[in-house]
Amino acid sequence: MATYKKGDVILEMYKVVDLIGIGAFGEVYKVEVLKGRYYRQLMALKVAKDPALLLYLWKEAQTHILFNHPHILKMQSYLYKKDRGELFLLYELMDVGNLKHYINTFGVLSEDQALKIIFQVGKGLEFLHSRGYIHGDVKPENIFGKKVMKSILWKLGDFSLLKTRGYSGIIDVKGTIGYIAPEVFRNEIHRSSDIFSLGCVLYFMLVGKSPFEAQNESQKLKNNKEVIYTMPEFLSDRTKRLLSKMLERNYEHRFKTARELIDYMLGERLI
C-alpha cells in the first residue's frame, strides 16, 4: 500500500498527482513541484524507507546526480531525512513509462522499431562504459520513454546496482532472472555483461518475453545460467546475427562495450 495519496504534499514541496508504481527499491510518485527551481513542473519522486535498501539508493543518488546524457534518465536532486528514515530522489518525468509496460500495452515491436531503441539505450550505456561503469541491471523495467514531438526518446535508468569496471567484490544482488549474463552467476561482471542483458531486452521487444522464459522459475534460472533459448525463426538474418552476438555465452566473444555494439550496428546498417 502506498504511503502517500493523491493531493498529499511531501516535504512541503511536492504535491502528489498520482502513484506511478511500487517496487523493491521504493515508491514512485508523479508530483507537481510547488516552489523553487522546478516550480509547477511535473516530475517523478521516488520515496524509499527500507533500511536494507537505502544503501543501494544512496549510492545510486551520489553517482546518478553526476550523469548528464540524452539517453540517461536525469536525476534532479536527492534528500535524505534521517529523522524519518526516508530517502527522496527527484527525477525527470518519463511520461511513456517503462519499456515493459509499453510492450505489454501495445504489443511486440517491428525489428526496425526495436533496433532503434537498442541503439538509443546503447548510447546511454556507451556513456557509462566510457567512464568505467557497468550498469548491472539492464532490463525493460529500467528503460524509460518520453514523448518528444511525434517520437519517443528512450533512456536508461535505475543505477542502484551500478559497478565500476574491474569490480571484484561479492555480487550480492545479481539482477533480474531472465536478463542476467551467465558470468554474473559466477560472481564476475564486465561491461559486456550489460550487452548480454541488452540482448535479452531486444529479444523481449521482438517476442514479448525473456529468451529464457520457462514453465517454472527453476527452469528459467537454469536456462538463464546456461543460455538456453530458441532463436525466433521469423527474424531476419541480420537481426539473428546481432542477437547471437549479444547473447553469446562466453563474454569474451560478445561486444566488449556498448561502443563496439554501436559501431557494429552502424557498420551493418541496422539503424
Side-chain angles (χ1 to χ4, degrees):
M1 185 175 176
T3 304
Y4 302 98
K5 64 182 185 299
K6 183 177 180 179
D8 284 352
V9 176
I10 304 173
L11 301 175
E12 300 181 353
M13 178 81 119
Y14 308 110
K15 184 179 181 180
V16 175
V17 176
D18 200 2
L19 173 69
I20 294 176
I22 300 176
F25 285 93
E27 303 166 357
V28 183
Y29 298 90
K30 179 179 180 180
V31 298
E32 178 185 357
V33 182
L34 300 179
K35 56 186 175 181
R37 180 181 176 185
Y38 304 110
Y39 176 60
R40 301 206 61 178
Q41 290 188 37
L42 293 176
M43 294 199 166
L45 183 69
K46 180 186 286 186
V47 183
K49 53 187 175 181
D50 185 338
L53 299 175
L54 284 180
L55 178 62
Y56 288 105
L57 289 170
W58 180 248
K59 174 187 171 186
E60 173 191 355
Q62 291 178 305
T63 307
H64 191 175
I65 196 76
L66 302 175
F67 294 159
N68 186 20
H69 187 273
H71 296 292
I72 295 286
L73 180 67
K74 180 65 178 172
M75 175 183 282
Q76 309 291 9
S77 63
Y78 63 91
L79 175 67
Y80 177 57
K81 297 290 286 185
K82 188 174 181 180
D83 58 321
R84 298 163 58 154
E86 290 182 316
L87 179 63
F88 300 89
L89 309 168
L90 186 68
Y91 303 92
E92 64 175 314
L93 180 66
M94 303 299 285
D95 50 10
V96 174
N98 67 53
L99 184 58
K100 182 176 182 179
H101 172 75
Y102 186 79
I103 298 299
N104 288 342
T105 302
F106 298 105
V108 296
L109 304 181
S110 69
E111 290 183 33
D112 285 345
Q113 289 173 317
L115 290 172
K116 285 178 182 177
I117 294 175
I118 289 299
F119 190 79
Q120 289 186 35
V121 178
K123 296 286 273 185
L125 272 180
E126 179 195 14
F127 174 85
L128 295 180
H129 289 176
S130 67
R131 285 155 178 78
Y133 290 109
I134 301 165
H135 185 279
D137 197 19
V138 177
K139 60 182 179 180
E141 295 94 321
N142 289 340
I143 296 169
F144 303 90
K146 186 173 190 175
K147 293 176 185 175
V148 178
M149 304 295 284
K150 293 184 179 180
S151 62
I152 299 175
L153 184 68
W154 294 94
K155 304 190 180 193
L156 184 61
D158 198 329
F159 301 93
S160 51
L161 299 186
L162 197 73
K163 303 283 188 297
T164 53
R165 184 184 176 192
Y167 179 84
S168 59
I170 299 297
I171 304 175
D172 49 352
V173 181
K174 295 180 174 14
T176 302
I177 303 299
Y179 296 90
I180 302 173
E183 63 274 8
V184 176
F185 291 105
R186 304 191 301 270
N187 211 55
E188 295 179 44
I189 192 164
H190 311 276
R191 290 178 292 181
S192 60
S193 304
D194 282 339
I195 302 301
F196 183 93
S197 300
L198 190 58
C200 296
V201 172
L202 175 57
Y203 191 104
F204 172 78
M205 289 190 287
L206 296 168
V207 181
K209 61 183 180 179
S210 153
F212 312 114
E213 206 62 54
Q215 291 185 340
N216 57 68
E217 285 301 308
S218 60
Q219 185 60 50
K220 183 177 180 180
L221 176 61
K222 182 177 187 292
N223 290 350
N224 194 163
K225 283 184 175 181
E226 300 178 15
V227 193
I228 301 170
Y229 71 98
T230 301
M231 181 66 74
E233 288 299 320
F234 63 83
L235 296 179
S236 66
D237 288 342
R238 66 177 194 158
T239 299
K240 286 180 181 177
R241 284 194 297 272
L242 174 65
L243 205 48
S244 294
K245 287 176 178 290
M246 296 179 78
L247 295 181
E248 169 61 51
R249 183 172 181 174
N250 186 337
Y251 72 87
E252 293 183 334
H253 296 161
R254 270 179 240 137
F255 302 106
K256 292 181 175 59
T257 65
R259 179 71 257 173
E260 288 190 11
L261 168 65
I262 288 168
D263 288 343
Y264 176 87
M265 293 183 73
L266 291 172
E268 295 293 314
R269 298 183 178 179
L270 294 174
I271 198 72

